[in-house]
Amino acid sequence: MDPEHQLHDADDEEKWVYDSSLDHKGRVPLRSSTGAWKAALFVVVMHQDLKTAVKNVNYWSGVTTLMPLLGAFLADAYFGRFSMILISSVVYLLGLGLLTMSEVIPSLKPCDNTDSCHEPKKLHGIVFFLALYLISFGTGGHKPSLESFGADQFDDNHAQERMKKMSYFNWWNFALCSGLFLGVTVIVYVQDEVSWAIADMVLTCSMALSIVLFLLGKRFYRYRVPEGSPLTPMLQVLVAAISKRGLPNPSNPGNLYEIPNSENTKGSRLLCHTSKLSFLDKAAILEEEEYVEENEVKQSIKKKRSPWRLATVTKVEELKLVINLIPIWLSTLAFGLCVAQATTFFIKQAATMDRKMGNFVFPPASIYSIAAIAMLISVAIYDRIIVPILRKVTGNERGISILQRIGIGMVLAMVSMIISALVERKRLKVVDREILNGPASMVGPVSMSAFWLAPQLITIGIGDGFAIVGLQEYFYDQVPDKMRSLGIAFYLSVLGASNFLSSFLITIIDHLTERGGRKSWFGKDLNHSRLDKFYWLLAAINGVNLLVYMYLARRYSYKNVEKRVAVTADSSEDERHGTKETA
């Protein structure tokens, strides 16, 4: 290529975005006026959702955990992320509006006289639970689509935008934790000291405002066109590989079937061949009759090729990516167990301790604000200070790899459980000492300050800043491009499955202690429990799991993408050559 064409190609790549995204009018996006932070900021603001931070721990956790998988599938396959965000946000707003109405409208209130209310009205129950399930359905489409849509605004094929995208997940979680901090402080205080109705009104208005802000950014966004179910091509690869299981793999992977960049009309990124799970490569083997050289005959054969018989290398690699996610997903469940304690037992511990700040007694849930602040500070320091230093030291544009970042968070989560066990043991000693003063002391909070919980909350907060952000980036980045909303849903399912696993673990421990004739670790209240032993068990589980995770992380192969660039000044948008780029 002559220097004049090379210069023109560089200018063309800077002007237009060639990553298969479109602008709001369905055209190739202009880089200067779409995407990047100018678009992502509308999305980040949209996610400052206080309702989830305050109430979803106790409500509809099962449905809320499962719905993102369905919502993400519909977004990726049919509706597109923008439409799914808008639809689910309206459903979410309707749920919040109904919840507010159930607290404000006299006929929908639980009782006419709250002072002598023994049983709420049936109509209130219907409206209340309808509101909760609307919020649950709204969450299912809102959570996975919104985060992935924000990340879509950055072009992986453009060096500067790729660097900005690496910061996006940090600042996404900064915004999330800001909302969480307001939720467990301001909103909880309004609910406890003013009224639930006022708190619900604030949340409803906040959601309505966020929808307006989201729509204001419409002209700046880059959009991805849904390509149908991402599961069908994977099933096709599996069927094709099984049907050609008797064929030998070619010694040269270059002989496997792939659509050339010049014929890739959809503009989606092609993946490079990897050697792992080589059995699936059989799906991309060209059978003998398909090597016919005559162009006319070759074209006629191409038209008859069935996707259930022959798959491209990219489709094969996409299935490999999903299979490779499974061990990492399983090995992060132990970390999720630690996170589950921060929003349950940590708060229960705070409820039994002295929560005075001068003459003010803060609600138990507000203790979690310490973890939120720790995560806010750690994410900002990591993005602005640590990453630039690590880039110079390691030569990695991320500073450290995604899986290394997750691993650091897992270590901190284990340390948090060790600290939690030590603090709980000290709390139980204070309980034992104060029981001697009379039975009344067993009912009220102990004299030990709730701020003794700060070290474990700070440690888990910093750990979240590494592992939670890393998990979001990993599941977004390492799934096929067409499945990125589902990728975020997979991340959410780690936390959801961990909550169920935590409950299951408690049940198993109870069963084993009862069979052994020993006192249960979980008594009628925390003062009659041995929560410290449970924390030690979680620390041990995480220690063993960390060894497994390190083994998997060392053997993991990251997504290998062919970068697409323009060829000549006269070429079409899709006539670009590929160069290997490991994501």
Side-chain angles (χ1 to χ4, degrees), residues 138-156:
T139 301
H142 187 270
K143 274 188 174 181
S145 302
L146 190 60
E147 184 171 358
S148 56
F149 183 70
D152 286 346
Q153 305 310 308
F154 302 89
D155 181 8
D156 281 316

Side-chain angles (χ1 to χ4, degrees), residues 91-290:
V91 173
Y92 203 127
L93 181 62
L94 287 174
L96 288 173
L98 275 178
L99 200 61
T100 302
M101 290 167 61
S102 70
E103 299 287 340
V104 174
I105 299 177
S107 60
L108 297 181
K109 286 184 176 181
C111 300
D112 295 323
N113 187 351
T114 56
D115 294 332
S116 59
C117 182
H118 300 289
E119 185 175 348
K121 298 176 184 177
K122 289 185 178 180
L123 181 59
H124 170 81
I126 293 172
V127 173
F128 182 75
F129 284 105
L130 176 61
L132 291 182
Y133 279 100
L134 282 174
I135 292 171
S136 222
F137 283 111
T139 301
H142 187 270
K143 274 188 174 181
S145 302
L146 190 60
E147 184 171 358
S148 56
F149 183 70
D152 286 346
Q153 305 310 308
F154 302 89
D155 181 8
D156 281 316
N157 294 332
H158 189 267
Q160 291 181 353
E161 289 198 18
R162 187 168 62 248
M163 298 280 277
K164 292 176 182 177
K165 187 176 188 174
M166 293 169 191
S167 292
Y168 165 77
F169 289 96
N170 291 324
W171 295 109
W172 166 273
N173 282 276
F174 189 93
L176 176 65
C177 281
S178 297
L180 177 62
F181 176 76
L182 292 174
V184 298
T185 53
V186 177
I187 298 301
V188 167
Y189 178 79
V190 171
Q191 288 171 341
D192 288 353
E193 302 298 327
V194 184
S195 74
W196 279 79
I198 298 298
D200 288 342
M201 286 181 187
V202 172
L203 295 168
T204 304
C205 292
S206 298
M207 189 65 189
L209 178 60
S210 69
I211 294 175
V212 173
L213 289 172
F214 179 68
L215 288 174
L216 286 176
K218 183 177 180 181
R219 63 192 292 267
F220 300 103
Y221 298 140
R222 298 170 187 168
Y223 304 84
R224 300 297 180 97
V225 178
E227 301 178 23
S229 171
L231 303 180
T232 302
M234 294 184 187
L235 182 59
Q236 290 172 340
V237 170
L238 191 59
V239 170
I242 293 173
S243 66
K244 292 190 280 190
R245 60 189 178 277
L247 298 178
N249 282 48
S251 57
N252 181 7
N255 293 329
L256 296 173
Y257 176 64
E258 181 62 283
I259 298 175
N261 273 314
S262 59
E263 298 177 16
N264 184 20
T265 56
K266 290 185 178 180
S268 55
R269 298 192 299 172
L270 302 183
L271 300 180
C272 300
H273 174 264
T274 59
S275 59
K276 293 185 177 180
L277 300 171
S278 58
F279 170 77
L280 296 175
D281 292 340
K282 295 180 184 293
I285 295 176
L286 285 161
E287 296 177 274
E288 186 175 349
E289 65 272 14
E290 293 177 307

Side-chain angles (χ1 to χ4, degrees), residues 346-361:
F346 285 12
I347 293 175
K348 287 183 177 292
Q349 284 176 285
T352 69
M353 302 170 78
D354 181 11
R355 304 188 307 278
K356 291 181 181 178
M357 293 179 63
N359 295 324
F360 175 72
V361 179

Side-chain angles (χ1 to χ4, degrees), residues 7 52 91 98 151 158 198 339 347 385 447 495 499 508 511 522:
L7 181 61
T52 303
V91 173
L98 275 178
H158 189 267
I198 298 298
V339 175
I347 293 175
I385 300 175
S447 60
L495 302 181
N499 280 314
I508 293 296
H511 179 70
F522 309 99

Side-chain angles (χ1 to χ4, degrees), residues 41-49 85-86 89 142 146 207 210-214:
L41 282 174
F42 289 98
V43 179
V44 170
V45 170
M46 175 72 167
H47 196 271
Q48 292 183 357
D49 171 13
I85 294 167
L86 195 56
S89 296
H142 187 270
L146 190 60
M207 189 65 189
S210 69
I211 294 175
V212 173
L213 289 172
F214 179 68

Side-chain angles (χ1 to χ4, degrees), residues 6-18:
Q6 288 180 340
L7 181 61
H8 187 90
D9 293 342
D11 291 341
D12 196 48
E13 187 179 359
E14 284 297 319
K15 184 176 181 181
W16 303 98
V17 180
Y18 295 114

